[in-house]
Amino acid sequence: MTRWDAVIAGGGPAGLSAAERLAARGCSVLVLERNHEIGSPIRTSGGSFIDELDALGIPSHLYHPISRVVFRSPGNEARFEFDKPALCVIDVRGVFQFLAERAIAAGASLRLSTAAQSAIVEQGAVRGIRTRDREIAARVVIDATGYRSAILKSAGLAPGFRRFGVGAEYDLYAPYCEPDEVILAVGSDVAPSGYAWVFPWGRNRVRAGVGIIHPDSPSRPQDFLDRFAASIPSLRKAQPVEHHTGLIPAETFAAAFAGDGILGIGDAAGHASSLLGEGIRWAIQAGRMAADTAADALERNDLSRASLAPLEMAWRNKFGADLHLAHAISRRIAQWDDRKWDQRLELVKLLSPGQFVEVLKSNLSGGWLWRFIASNPLAAAAGARVLLRKSFSIPQ
Ligand SMILES: Cc1cc2nc3c(=O)[nH]c(=O)nc-3n(C[C@H](O)[C@H](O)[C@H](O)COP(=O)(O)OP(=O)(O)OC[C@H]3O[C@@H](n4cnc5c(N)ncnc54)[C@H](O)[C@@H]3O)c2cc1C
């Protein structure tokens, strides 16, 4: 039986990015993807940030820049104009397949239509992956299966998530769309405990969707989607070309995502920011960091938890404060009623376009936010300082 250096379950952005980096470091690597096509069916809206994607090497023809964001509550609205676009919406299939191409070019192997069923565990250590009809041996296994965390769960490393963002979305051809304008909308009529969005991604194509946090709200996003899309004037005469649904963990990253012979990355480990349910660039980042940790461990020929745990530490040190804070805020705002949202938008309006983007990016633990609160009486009066302090102590 062939024994791979690394077998990765899941050919999403996390798994493909890990595969590329591992292969580039000279490791033999196999990616198993349950679907018959990389990047399909689409389960994401593709909103992201230009600087971060550029830094990750995503070519600019695969994203569509955004120059205006309109943030609506039932009775209020904040608008942000960007001279230099900071946000973008990606061509999801294009980006995911680009990551696959890069992984293949680096030497990785991909097997489609192959679901990883469980980890092969021997004497407490993961030694490979079981599919429906075979066992595949690996020195290290990486779970990149998304919200299911299929392999981490089967290895007993993670219990699975309990809080999820549940999304339903149309990808529309919209002849009268505002091509450079993103709309974010909150309120009980639009998306109880979540938000709705309009994301144009070029060529008059627009993703319009509704995301609702379960179990914070029992509502189903699909029940709100048609009404929301019909309420947007620029979507008149639009018709759906695709219908997407998906889940994303709405929790902070797992306490442990490294075990003996196994790592978890991306949504499987809760690496996304739960503030907006934004995880693509985080997944790419996690994939690359995990690959470096795994390649170092392979070189040492030590695939124990102790040898793989530096990934947990590196992730926590680099992103822990921001992601924990983003999650604490997500839990709080999921409880806000329409009146509270209308009030809080007055606060949002005080942000400059650049500051608003920092919030969307979950860059929350830096000094800029504290300075903003300290210098704005309305922010201080609204108890934002208290909220932030408390947020740090909210349990995961
Ligand atoms: C409705 C919705 C909207 C979103 N909008 C945005 C957004 O605007 N911007 C943003 O950045 N993020 C967004 N996200 C989140 C983003 O999609 C994820 O955070 C990101 O895709 C995570 O990447 P991943 O590689 O960890 O997992 P995934 O992208 O989920 O990839 C996992 C892959 O593993 C495969 N797989 C699953 N189980 C198995 C198995 N047993 N064996 C083999 N393969 C398996 C799946 O088919 C899939 O290809 C959204 C999510 C949802 C649900």
Side-chain angles (χ1 to χ4, degrees):
M1 183 164 58
T2 310
R3 185 164 177 242
W4 298 83
D5 288 329
V7 173
I8 299 171
L16 295 167
S17 303
E20 184 203 356
R21 183 65 69 95
L22 275 160
R25 296 242 343 224
C27 305
S28 63
V29 48
L30 172 69
V31 179
L32 306 176
E33 168 53 49
R34 66 185 299 158
N35 287 320
H36 61 275
E37 190 178 327
I38 295 295
S40 185
I42 289 176
R43 301 196 179 279
T44 184
S45 314
S48 200
F49 302 97
I50 291 175
D51 284 351
E52 280 67 14
L53 293 189
D54 286 350
L56 291 168
I58 304 298
S60 58
H61 72 270
L62 291 175
Y63 60 73
H64 177 78
I66 297 298
S67 51
R68 186 185 311 119
V69 179
V70 181
F71 185 9
R72 281 188 194 145
S73 65
N76 209 344
E77 184 178 285
R79 295 171 84 84
F80 298 93
E81 306 275 351
F82 299 89
D83 298 332
K84 180 175 178 279
L87 286 88
C88 62
V89 183
I90 65 170
D91 166 354
V92 173
R93 208 171 276 120
V95 168
F96 287 17
Q97 293 204 357
F98 169 78
L99 295 172
E101 289 160 10
R102 283 213 311 209
I104 295 164
S109 298
L110 266 67
R111 204 170 287 165
L112 302 179
S113 310
T114 307
Q117 284 192 335
S118 59
I120 301 168
V121 183
E122 287 169 10
Q123 292 160 351
V126 175
R127 304 276 185 228
I129 281 188
R130 207 169 277 115
T131 67
R132 191 168 56 84
D133 54 6
R134 74 185 68 180
E135 295 196 336
I136 304 173
R139 295 170 69 200
V140 64
V141 162
I142 298 182
D143 184 347
T145 57
Y147 72 92
R148 293 182 177 88
S149 323
I151 308 305
L152 288 173
K153 272 195 273 189
S154 77
L157 199 65
F161 299 101
R162 288 184 303 266
R163 187 172 184 257
F164 291 95
V166 183
E169 171 183 88
Y170 292 129
D171 189 332
L172 305 142
Y173 183 77
Y176 300 102
C177 73
E178 293 283 352
D180 308 320
E181 176 183 283
V182 152
I183 300 174
L184 303 173
V186 292
S188 55
D189 274 355
V190 175
S193 95
Y195 71 98
W197 60 86
V198 176
F199 283 2
W201 62 283
R203 297 180 295 114
N204 288 358
R205 292 287 289 270
V206 177
R207 300 192 192 104
V210 174
I212 292 180
I213 308 235
H214 288 189
D216 302 38
S217 164
S219 301
R220 298 183 327 149
Q222 188 61 44
D223 295 343
F224 293 79
L225 180 56
D226 289 287
R227 192 153 30 106
F228 173 66
S231 76
I232 307 294
S234 64
L235 296 185
R236 66 188 179 281
K237 295 198 185 302
Q239 289 295 315
V241 179
E242 298 179 21
H243 181 224
H244 307 150
T245 57
L247 263 68
I248 176 170
E251 298 183 22
T252 41
F253 53 90
F257 45 93
D260 286 319
I262 184 167
L263 287 169
I265 53 172
D267 281 7
H271 283 147
S273 167
S274 49
L275 184 61
L276 293 179
E278 181 244 333
I280 296 167
R281 67 190 166 104
W282 300 96
I284 296 172
Q285 188 77 42
R288 293 189 185 168
M289 287 170 69
D292 283 334
T293 304
D296 291 345
L298 285 161
E299 276 168 20
R300 286 192 298 272
N301 197 24
D302 176 2
L303 285 311
S304 65
R305 166 166 163 78
S307 184
L308 295 171
L311 174 66
E312 292 176 357
M313 215 180 315
W315 188 264
R316 209 171 289 125
N317 290 342
K318 203 162 177 193
F319 305 119
D322 281 336
L323 289 176
H324 282 119
L325 195 44
H327 178 61
I329 294 172
S330 139
R331 290 200 90 100
R332 228 158 236 266
I333 62 181
Q335 309 306 321
W336 287 358
D337 60 18
D338 291 355
R339 211 178 109 253
K340 185 97 163 180
W341 269 117
D342 287 345
Q343 287 170 353
R344 286 297 182 255
L345 249 69
E346 288 303 314
L347 209 55
V348 172
K349 285 181 193 174
L350 297 174
L351 295 165
S352 68
Q355 289 169 332
F356 182 62
V357 169
E358 293 306 305
V359 174
L360 296 183
K361 285 183 181 176
S362 303
N363 284 344
L364 299 165
S365 62
W368 78 265
L369 188 53
W370 297 100
R371 283 193 297 278
F372 166 78
I373 291 166
S375 63
N376 280 288
L378 184 56
R385 194 190 297 263
V386 178
L387 182 145
L388 291 178
R389 279 223 187 95
K390 277 192 178 164
S391 298
F392 276 116
S393 58
I394 288 177
Q396 291 178 29

